[in-house]
Amino acid sequence: MRSQAAPHRGIFLSGTEGRQIMKDIVIIGAGTAGLTAAIYALRAGKSVLLIESQMYGGQIVNTPDIENYPGISHVSGFDFAQGLYDQATAFGAELVYETATAIENEGDHKVVRTASGSSYECKAVILATGAKNRKLGIAREEELTGHGISYCATCDGMFFKGKDVAVAGGGSTALGDAAYLADLCSKVYLIHRRDAFRGVAADVEKLKGKKNVEFVLNANVTAVLGDQNVEGVEVTDKLTGEKRVLPVSALFVAIGQEPDNQPFANVVDLDPKGYISAGESCATKQPGIFTAGDCRTKTLRQLTTAASDGAVAATAACAYIDSL
Ligand code: NAP
């Protein structure tokens, strides 16, 4: 099978189901960076396969309101992601839902292997693996996930309509989640381990204007109470050591992300935090393997920089293929 929008000659891909598809570029991860890379590569005449382990769109799907993407004054994360997906697939991108587990160099091409046993051959790979939610690391966090502990306010907030909830974190995600939940829930406690926020000041000011938001600063979440479901959250003041129980039905954890690039550590360099080492060129140390978005070393992880990386990585991958 060959993409209508991809006249350029690719090489065969073979999955466990015996599928044979011709692609030039395999993009691992269908978030903002991966989908943007797909759009650029397809418009440059290359064939593209996206491999995604969860839903397309990546982290931004969980962001209720985007107000800092140039040219778009307001859009929900879901609508933004849907628009990107529609645009990429309209150009001929194909997507498989699988977990990529390894990349192998085989002569002048690469083989991407997946957890299901499929293997996909291509000329270039773009790693756009994003990052996964960081855990608080407190007792019973896993057990109560789905029973009051959530990592996605827009997915689960409705379950707690009219109730008291807590958000942990001090970045843009936590601020956005707190604002979203404040319009839905009767009270929102925003728990942050410092008294200064990593998220933007304008969002902090907006939250301060909401009467049902209480800031719990310089505090750590030290326990979650409740048998079957969350019934309260214990916070400990970092300065005084004083403990306090917040009577909430849910704890939304929004304390950032961590990369998940270990499966590819044999072909690309990772920095000490696990991000893929690559500069603004998005080229890794490995010819033919590029990286884009939150999974790479960078100072600013935003939608704009993810989209920018996608364009840069795709353009570099196309130039690499043309040079073969
Ligand atoms: P983040 O910016 O890394 O912030 C994580 C927050 O969680 C920080 O305030 C951090 O505290 C706190 N934290 C980290 N580990 C913790 C722990 N173990 N216990 C308690 N608190 C902990 O993560 P994010 O808010 O998810 O944002 C990720 C990236 O996406 C950022 O670059 C952000 O700007 C971007 N983003 C962009 C948009 C948008 O463009 N509209 C929307 C959402 C997010 P400290 O501050 O003390 O380190």
Side-chain angles (χ1 to χ4, degrees), residues 68 170-173 192-194 198 255-257 301-302:
N68 61 356
S172 291
T173 304
H192 180 35
R193 65 182 178 183
R194 293 188 295 136
R198 194 171 288 273
I255 60 168
Q257 288 83 34
R301 292 190 170 84
Q302 294 274 300

Side-chain angles (χ1 to χ4, degrees), residues 123-140:
K123 293 177 179 172
V125 175
I126 297 175
L127 282 162
T129 52
K132 61 179 182 183
N133 291 322
R134 185 177 286 134
K135 305 279 189 288
L136 278 167
I138 53 171
R140 305 185 61 221

Side-chain angles (χ1 to χ4, degrees), residues 164-168 181 187-191 233 246 248-253:
D164 291 1
V165 301
V167 174
L181 292 166
K187 173 145 190 171
V188 178
Y189 296 92
L190 178 58
I191 307 161
V233 164
L246 310 176
V248 295
S249 307
L251 171 63
F252 291 90
V253 181

Side-chain angles (χ1 to χ4, degrees), residues 8 24-25 27 37-48 123-126 288 290 310-324:
H8 193 276
D24 294 309
I25 302 174
I27 300 172
I39 291 166
Y40 271 71
L42 288 156
R43 281 174 53 80
K46 301 294 186 276
S47 52
V48 168
K123 293 177 179 172
V125 175
I126 297 175
F290 304 86
V312 172
T315 305
C318 293
Y320 168 81
I321 291 170
D322 290 344
S323 73
L324 289 176

Side-chain angles (χ1 to χ4, degrees), residues 50-67:
L50 289 144
I51 300 179
E52 169 60 54
S53 58
Q54 295 174 17
M55 189 193 163
Y56 59 80
Q59 293 168 46
I60 203 63
V61 166
N62 302 329
T63 298
D65 301 294
I66 300 166
E67 294 180 346

